[in-house]
Amino acid sequence: MSVHAFLSKTLSMAALGLAALLPLSTQAQSTYETLAQPQPTDTPGKVEVLEFFAYSCPHCATIEPMVAEWKKDLPDTVVVRQVPVAFNASMEDLQRLYYALEALGRMDLHPKVFDAIHDERKRIFTETAIADWIETQGVKPDDYRAAARSFGVTSKVARAKELEQAYDVQGTPTLAIGGKYVTSPSMTGSYQGTITQAQKLVDQVLSAQ
């Protein structure tokens, strides 16, 4: 698939948002969905919020700083984890980019990736293009490639794919709360509405503990 075709497909997916494909309980509201089968979380003892995103998604670029601000006000009993998704093989290099930044201790570059793609229109969709760009950010290309191809990053990519399937993520951004609930801008009608709904669901899970 060409880069142009890849980008067009990704943006189309993002524009569509999350389709209503998850099994619903009888108590589900229109602004969120309740999983018929609750999912175990990777952070026992805390309310886990998963932020499914893709660097190529313009809606993710918009909501990302809003989620970052929201996280600042959450109690220690709540943890927000970002999960990069790849709807096809051509998106995996960007998926690996997120976990490579973690491995390199350069999460300060996370928002800059969104800026590079959506504001600066840089076509950093392949490992080669990413390595060239990240060198301008002070990371040696060989160090990046080693991190992106490492066993640790490969394992996290595999886990991200498992989560994407478990939550039946069909579009980004999508927020999953407490292994039970899912909300997104396509459900709430706005970015802020998604944050507001996510907070309500966090409160709901906390009150049930």
Side-chain angles (χ1 to χ4, degrees):
M1 178 183 290
S2 68
V3 171
H4 181 270
F6 148 71
L7 183 57
S8 296
K9 183 172 183 178
T10 301
L11 295 182
S12 295
M13 285 177 157
L16 288 173
L18 178 62
L21 297 180
L22 290 175
L24 304 183
S25 77
T26 56
Q27 299 301 314
Q29 304 297 311
S30 60
T31 53
Y32 72 92
E33 295 182 345
T34 302
L35 294 177
Q37 181 63 50
Q39 296 298 313
T41 68
D42 292 335
T43 51
K46 293 191 176 184
V47 176
E48 183 180 76
V49 177
L50 301 180
E51 178 193 358
F52 292 96
F53 78 96
Y55 279 127
S56 52
C57 166
H59 303 295
C60 299
T62 300
I63 203 172
E64 175 60 27
M66 300 172 69
V67 174
E69 284 299 312
W70 176 52
K71 287 194 297 186
K72 295 177 182 179
D73 295 326
L74 291 173
D76 293 339
T77 51
V78 179
V79 60
V80 178
R81 293 178 53 223
Q82 291 165 311
V83 183
V85 300
F87 294 114
N88 53 60
S90 63
M91 295 176 70
E92 187 173 305
D93 285 339
L94 283 175
Q95 191 178 35
R96 287 181 176 273
L97 171 57
Y98 175 80
Y99 291 121
L101 292 179
E102 276 190 341
L104 293 166
R106 291 303 308 270
M107 289 306 293
D108 60 299
L109 295 181
H110 174 62
K112 293 185 178 181
V113 177
F114 284 114
D115 292 341
I117 294 174
H118 300 286
D119 295 335
E120 300 167 22
R121 303 299 181 184
K122 295 186 181 297
R123 303 172 70 83
I124 52 173
F125 307 123
T126 64
E127 183 185 82
T128 298
I130 292 169
D132 289 343
W133 173 79
I134 208 167
E135 185 174 20
T136 68
Q137 306 301 313
V139 178
K140 295 179 179 179
D142 287 346
D143 289 345
Y144 171 73
R145 292 189 183 94
R149 300 173 186 176
S150 68
F151 175 79
V153 166
T154 298
S155 297
K156 289 182 177 181
V157 166
R159 177 56 177 156
K161 291 177 179 178
E162 290 176 355
L163 290 170
E164 178 187 332
Q165 293 174 359
Y167 286 88
D168 198 14
V169 176
Q170 300 295 319
T172 53
T174 294
L175 298 181
I177 297 90
K180 297 179 180 180
Y181 309 108
V182 175
T183 189
S184 70
S186 65
M187 297 179 197
T188 65
S190 70
Y191 301 116
Q192 185 55 54
T194 302
I195 302 296
T196 300
Q197 180 61 72
Q199 181 64 63
K200 291 178 180 178
L201 292 170
V202 166
D203 293 340
Q204 184 173 320
V205 175
L206 285 172
S207 64
Q209 291 181 339

